């Protein structure tokens, strides 16, 4: 099971819609089941430096099958995964990265969003991921 | 003058339309005036290894303000730019990378396409770049 | 709007002048609007290891459109952007990086300075950035 | 013996003067005796992609103590150093890189120029290197 064009576009549209609603231009990255980039979109006015962060958030979530900020809890000084961000060519371990699942609860990819506060990044990423679950037809 | 969301989407749509017409799933990368990624799209079934090639073709065209294959002519063994591909974190110097210009002939970004033969990659990239010139309203 | 030779030289001269006044040999990097290197200068006696830091400070400021140390406040352990320095090929998040704006308050590039204490690095970077605002003719 | 600020500025001025005379905007990189960047200058209108090439030409000349194109002769298919460009983080082995010597014939650094044809790149680099030899006072 791997994310399709149609699914990735659905995720992207929901994320952009949320970003516009909260008025924060975002970088949005969508990866497939193999942690390879499927779709990337930099909204007009989004921070240049957030493009790489969006991609790394998506990578982090897919590689570890968790919200990116969950890894961040484990990578604080003194915690078990301190500085895990050095692995895999660089990870980003704060909020804004989520796995993408289909209605059968199977991971088919991931999304990473960056451009605002981490709370807003999460909000937009979450809107994207929810889009795959709320549609009538399971793409 | 920098490429906008609306322009990048127009380029992408024209490229995807051509790719579907010639029945070759492609990776399509669009960069802005500063050679930063603006939009990336991997069509279903497109070769995984061509994603990085599409991105590097777009980079090559923007950085040297020419079709990617023009650089390739100059980088053959014995030619003046032999092995220039080692610069700038890796270049791709065969066809499929083009600058994107607006109607005032100003470079606003670039497109790189990879997934088929270089002739087909070029055809799809060209369809994308033409989209900015042929529309009634100069975005 | 992108930084010109003339603007970059004006920034450099003001920075060097300040560095000499406070007697600290500095590395000074100036980037353009697209976060590409425009000018780099290593003063005699400046620390070798500070050259890369100066370049990364300039990159950090341009990519995130803020003073480099502002990012550093957010990247402390437990803070929202912990370990953001792993993105974008490496960032530097302590003082000495500033965006460069013209008199219309438009970002046209950035400056990064390294070689002394962070307070002195900031002082020299600030002298550079102010040079674009204080001249009679808006370059 | 290492290149000084004053020497690097002298080299840069001569190179810029030649670039303006032949009307080709250039990227100019100057390295020190230890192959570390001392000075970098991107003239207005110079190709973005040539910045890295200028730096790598300077590095190539300093590391191998020869004109960059001499290494290129040895790195052709079938020759003894085929693909040596993969070493040292990437080399550039066509013309435009020269060592910088003082009047005692001691290597004190190197210069790399890129932006035009290799013949013009060489011409500008050569103007820079000659500047250290032709002045009345041996800086």
């Amino acid at each position: 099971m791997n994310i399709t064009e149609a699914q990735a576009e659905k995720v992207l549209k929901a994320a952009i819609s949320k970003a516009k609603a909260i008025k924060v231009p975002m970088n949005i990255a969508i990866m497939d089941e193999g942690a390879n980039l499927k779709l990337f979109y930099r909204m007009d006015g989004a921070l240049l430096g957030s493009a790489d962060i969006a991609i790394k958030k998506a990578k982090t979530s897919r590689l570890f099958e968790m919200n990116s900020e969950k890894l961040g809890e484990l990578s604080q000084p003194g915690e078990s995964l301190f500085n895990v961000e050095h692995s895999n060519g660089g990870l980003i371990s704060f909020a804004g990265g989520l796995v993408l699942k289909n209605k059968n609860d199977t991971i088919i990819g991931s999304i990473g969003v960056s451009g605002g506060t981490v709370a807003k990044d999460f909000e937009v990423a979450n809107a994207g991921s929810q889009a795959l679950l709320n549609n009538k037809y399971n793409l």
Side-chain angles (χ1 to χ4, degrees), chain A:
Chain A
M1 296 304 294
N2 212 337
I3 193 167
T4 63
E5 278 178 39
Q7 288 171 314
E9 287 191 21
K10 179 183 288 283
V11 171
L12 179 67
K13 274 176 194 159
I16 289 176
S17 175
K18 174 61 76 177
K20 287 183 174 170
I22 63 173
K23 295 186 167 55
V24 183
M26 294 288 193
N27 293 272
I28 300 160
I30 298 171
M31 286 193 170
D32 68 10
E33 192 275 343
N36 297 296
L37 193 63
K38 179 72 175 173
L39 185 51
F40 173 82
Y41 194 95
R42 177 154 53 87
M43 293 172 69
D44 292 343
L47 284 172
L48 271 186
S50 293
D52 185 58
I53 293 176
I55 292 171
K56 284 191 166 59
K57 282 180 179 174
K59 181 173 69 169
T60 299
S61 279
R62 178 59 199 93
L63 291 180
F64 295 94
E65 303 188 358
M66 59 176 73
N67 288 16
S68 50
E69 73 272 20
K70 292 290 178 193
L71 195 69
E73 292 173 12
L74 302 172
S75 68
Q76 297 295 318
E79 297 301 323
S80 58
L81 302 185
F82 179 52
N83 267 342
V84 68
E85 293 87 351
H86 289 281
S87 72
N88 293 283
L91 301 172
I92 289 292
S93 57
F94 42 87
L98 294 171
V99 293
L100 294 173
K101 294 183 177 183
N102 65 13
K103 287 192 171 176
N104 299 323
D105 207 39
T106 303
I107 293 177
I108 59 171
S110 61
I111 181 172
V113 174
S114 183
T117 61
V118 291
K120 287 182 176 170
D121 293 350
F122 175 83
E123 192 177 350
V124 171
N126 194 46
S129 72
Q130 291 299 314
L132 289 180
L133 304 176
N134 295 337
N135 57 315
K136 276 189 259 179
Y137 309 100
N138 186 13
L139 283 170

